[in-house]
């Protein structure tokens, strides 16, 4: 240390050249100190590892020692058990004989047999009880299913009834609305026909110059309003249709009579003899009347006036038979339909029913009346040409016939619709 302290001033006095030479020994000292530290660290680590290994081996030795002591104690306990078993076996050998073992076996067999029979009996009782409970359960289930099916059927029937009721209600509502439209449309045409007829009737009343002729015209003009009103009322009130039909049939017969009276009034101013005189002038193309009970053999007529009078009488008879037969047959048909009496037949269209023959009689009566009016018209067509009676007659019969055939067609369609609904 003294050498270092003496040399250091020299080194400082010598300046820069010596300073560079002193740096080498200091670096060597630092490297040696680092290697020393590393060696010390390795030694400490080795020592720690040795201590850890020692501790581990000591713990293992302790564990083995403990296990060995436990095994020794277990072996001692097993030896004690073995000794006790040996003593039991020795006592058994000294006390139990073969006869005792056989008796014990027989008693055990007997107990086993009794136990087996008891178990079989209990099993059979249990099986019978289970079968009875199963049968009761099946019966109860069948009853429950049957009740459930009945309830379901009732619910289904109720739902069907509700649906059908709803459908009927809906159909009734639609039918009511459609009927109301039909009522409106039919009422409109009824009102128009009444207004037109009233206009014509008021025109005649304002110029009532020929009362004999115009009274017949007014009676004929009333046909359109009466037919229109009764038809509309029959549409609105179907229950009253048979009664209203009687009114129409009565007035139809009355109009046929009034039409023939109108022709007589126009030709002879209401005087029948004047009409006979007029027909006498056309005797050359008059067809002689025929007799109903004389094989249709014509009678000889001495003068044209007798022929004319016979022809006019026949036309009047043909018209008047309709006037009397139409109301009577209408009333008879009304009563038969009201009481639903069809004789031997099944309905009014059956040939065995009285209604069938009454309808045939009505058509025959209409044909006869129509033939009488046509015969009268052909006899005086030139004298009535100015008032065009044929067109008026066709209008009257058109209303009658169209109403009749229209009602017949509607009845057929209604019957076909009801049959189709029943089949569906």
């Amino acid at each position: 240390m003294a050498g270092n302290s003496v040399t250091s001033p020299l080194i400082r006095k010598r300046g820069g050249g010596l300073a560079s030479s002193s740096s080498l020994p200091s670096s060597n000292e630092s490297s040696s100190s680092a290697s020393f530290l590393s060696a010390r660290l390795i030694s400490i680590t080795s020592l720690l590892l040795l201590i850890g290994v020692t501790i581990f081996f000591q713990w293992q030795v302790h564990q083995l020692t403990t296990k060995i002591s436990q095994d020794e104690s277990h072996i001692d306990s097993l030896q004690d058990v073995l000794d006790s078993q040996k003593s039991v076996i020795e006592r058994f050998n000294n006390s139990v004989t073969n006869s005792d073992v056989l008796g014990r076996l027989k008693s055990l067999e007997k107990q086993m047999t009794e136990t087996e029979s008891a178990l079989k009996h209990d099993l059979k009782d249990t099986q019978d009880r289970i079968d009875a409970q199963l049968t009761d359960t099946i019966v109860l289930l069948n009853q429950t299913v049957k009740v459930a099916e009945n309830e379901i059927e009732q619910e289904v029937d109720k739902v069907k009834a509700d649906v059908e009721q709803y459908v009927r209600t809906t159909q009734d509502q639609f039918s009511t609305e459609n009927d109301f439209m039909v009522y409106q449309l039919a009422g409109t045409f009824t009102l128009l026909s009444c207004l037109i007829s009233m206009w014509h009737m008021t025109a005649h009343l304002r110029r009532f110059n020929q009362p004999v002729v115009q009274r017949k015209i007014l009676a004929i003009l009333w046909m359109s309003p009466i037919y229109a009103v009764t038809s509309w009322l029959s549409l609105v009130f179907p229950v009253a249709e048979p009664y209203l039909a009687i009114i129409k049939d009565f007035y139809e017969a009355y109009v046929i009579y009034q039409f023939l009276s109108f022709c007589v009034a126009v030709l002879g101013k209401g005087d029948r003899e004047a009409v006979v005189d007029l027909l006498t002038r056309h005797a050359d193309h008059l067809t002689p009347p025929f007799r109903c009970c004389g094989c249709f053999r014509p009678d000889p007529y001495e003068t044209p006036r007798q022929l004319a009078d016979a022809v006019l009488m026949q036309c009047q008879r043909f018209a008047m038979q309709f006037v009397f037969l139409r109301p009577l047959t209408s009333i008879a048909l009304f009563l038969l339909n009201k009481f639903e009496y069809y004789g031997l037949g099944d309905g009014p269209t059956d040939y065995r029913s009285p209604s069938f023959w009454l309808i045939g009689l009505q058509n025959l009566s209409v044909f006869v009346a129509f033939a009488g009016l046509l015969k009268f018209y052909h006899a005086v067509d030139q004298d009535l040409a100015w008032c065009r009676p044929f067109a008026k007659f066709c209008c009257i019969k058109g209303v009658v016939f169209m109403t009749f055939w229209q009602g017949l067609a509607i009845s057929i369609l209604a019957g076909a619709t009801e049959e189709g609904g029943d089949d569906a």
Side-chain angles (χ1 to χ4, degrees):
M1 294 296 290
N4 290 336
S5 64
V6 174
T7 59
S8 60
L10 291 176
I11 293 169
R12 286 194 298 272
K13 287 179 181 180
R14 287 178 183 177
L18 294 173
S20 61
S21 64
S22 64
S23 61
L24 182 59
S26 62
S27 62
N28 291 328
E29 292 176 359
S30 62
S31 62
S32 62
S33 63
S35 63
F36 177 73
L37 290 172
S38 299
R40 291 179 64 185
L41 182 61
I42 291 170
S43 299
I44 294 169
T45 304
S46 299
L47 182 59
L48 291 173
L49 288 172
L50 183 59
I51 293 169
V53 170
T54 302
I55 292 170
F56 176 74
F57 278 111
Q58 287 180 356
W59 180 76
Q60 287 289 332
V61 170
H62 178 70
Q63 291 290 331
L64 289 173
T65 304
T66 304
K67 188 174 181 182
I68 289 169
S69 62
Q70 290 177 354
D71 290 339
E72 288 178 352
S73 61
H74 186 63
I75 290 170
D76 293 338
S77 63
L78 289 176
Q79 187 65 38
D80 294 337
V81 172
L82 183 60
D83 293 338
S84 62
Q85 292 295 327
K86 283 182 179 180
S87 62
V88 170
I89 291 171
E90 289 177 355
R91 282 200 313 272
F92 181 76
N93 290 327
N94 295 326
S95 60
V96 179
T97 61
N98 291 331
S99 60
D100 295 335
V101 173
L102 292 175
R104 184 63 178 169
L105 286 174
K106 289 181 180 180
S107 65
L108 289 174
E109 287 178 356
K110 184 178 180 181
Q111 290 179 0
M112 188 176 66
T113 303
E114 292 175 354
T115 305
E116 185 179 0
S117 62
L119 287 174
K120 287 182 178 179
H121 184 268
D122 293 340
L123 180 62
K124 185 178 180 182
D125 292 341
T126 305
Q127 206 166 24
D128 294 339
R129 195 164 52 249
I130 291 172
D131 291 338
Q133 290 180 355
L134 184 61
T135 303
D136 295 338
T137 304
I138 291 173
V139 172
L140 182 61
L141 285 175
N142 290 332
Q143 292 177 354
T144 306
V145 169
K146 188 174 181 180
V147 171
E149 287 178 352
N150 293 331
E151 291 179 354
I152 291 172
E153 288 179 358
Q154 291 177 0
E155 291 294 331
V156 170
D157 294 337
K158 183 178 179 182
V159 171
K160 285 183 178 179
D162 293 339
V163 171
E164 290 177 356
Q165 181 65 30
Y166 176 75
V167 170
R168 284 196 298 269
T169 303
T170 306
Q171 289 178 350
D172 291 340
Q173 290 177 354
F174 283 122
S175 178
T176 303
E177 294 177 358
N178 292 333
D179 290 343
F180 184 72
M181 294 177 62
V182 171
Y183 297 158
Q184 284 184 329
L185 185 62
T188 301
F189 285 105
T190 300
L191 183 61
L192 286 175
S193 64
C194 291
L195 291 176
I196 294 172
S197 299
M198 292 299 175
W199 181 75
H200 283 289
M201 284 189 285
T202 53
H204 279 283
L205 291 174
R206 285 195 301 268
R207 297 176 178 83
F208 205 64
N209 300 324
Q210 298 182 8
V212 177
V213 177
Q214 288 178 303
R215 278 198 295 268
K216 308 296 187 296
I217 295 174
L218 290 174
I220 295 172
L221 287 175
W222 271 108
M223 181 181 182
S224 181
I226 290 174
Y227 261 66
V229 172
T230 53
S231 299
W232 186 78
L233 290 176
S234 299
L235 183 65
V236 177
F237 305 105
V239 180
E241 191 273 335
Y243 304 95
L244 297 172
I246 293 177
I247 297 175
K248 288 192 294 184
D249 292 340
F250 269 73
Y251 203 80
E252 177 190 356
Y254 177 70
V255 166
I256 295 297
Y257 167 74
Q258 287 295 328
F259 182 78
L260 183 60
S261 299
F262 165 75
C263 294
V264 172
V266 169
L267 294 173
K269 305 300 180 181
D271 187 5
R272 185 178 182 278
E273 296 300 325
V275 177
V276 172
D277 293 338
L278 181 62
L279 290 174
T280 303
R281 293 197 293 269
H282 304 287
D284 53 347
H285 62 271
L286 289 178
T287 302
F290 55 86
R291 297 170 56 188
C292 295
C293 299
C295 299
F296 304 104
R297 180 175 55 82
D299 291 330
Y301 299 100
E302 298 179 356
T303 61
R305 182 176 178 81
Q306 291 180 352
L307 177 61
D309 184 68
V311 169
L312 180 59
M313 180 61 67
Q314 185 188 44
C315 294
Q316 288 178 333
R317 287 174 178 172
F318 281 2
M320 290 304 296
Q321 60 83 25
F322 179 76
V323 172
F324 287 107
L325 281 179
R326 182 67 173 183
L328 295 176
T329 54
S330 298
I331 294 173
L333 285 173
F334 169 76
L335 294 175
L336 290 174
N337 292 328
K338 183 176 180 60
F339 295 103
E340 296 182 354
Y341 178 76
Y342 306 119
L344 300 177
D346 298 328
T349 57
D350 194 339
Y351 72 95
R352 294 173 298 178
S353 172
S355 301
F356 177 81
W357 297 103
L358 286 174
I359 293 173
L361 181 61
Q362 279 187 349
N363 291 327
L364 179 62
S365 177
V366 170
F367 173 76
V368 171
F370 189 71
L373 293 176
L374 277 180
K375 185 174 183 179
F376 182 75
Y377 170 74
H378 285 301
V380 295
D381 56 346
Q382 295 179 357
D383 299 301
L384 295 174
W386 62 272
C387 64
R388 297 192 298 273
F390 186 73
K392 295 178 176 61
F393 175 74
C394 289
C395 289
I396 294 171
K397 294 311 296 178
V399 171
V400 174
F401 278 107
M402 288 179 67
T403 304
F404 172 76
W405 291 111
Q406 178 184 1
L408 182 61
I410 291 174
S411 300
I412 294 173
L413 290 175
T417 304
E418 290 178 357
E419 291 178 358
D422 295 337
D423 293 339

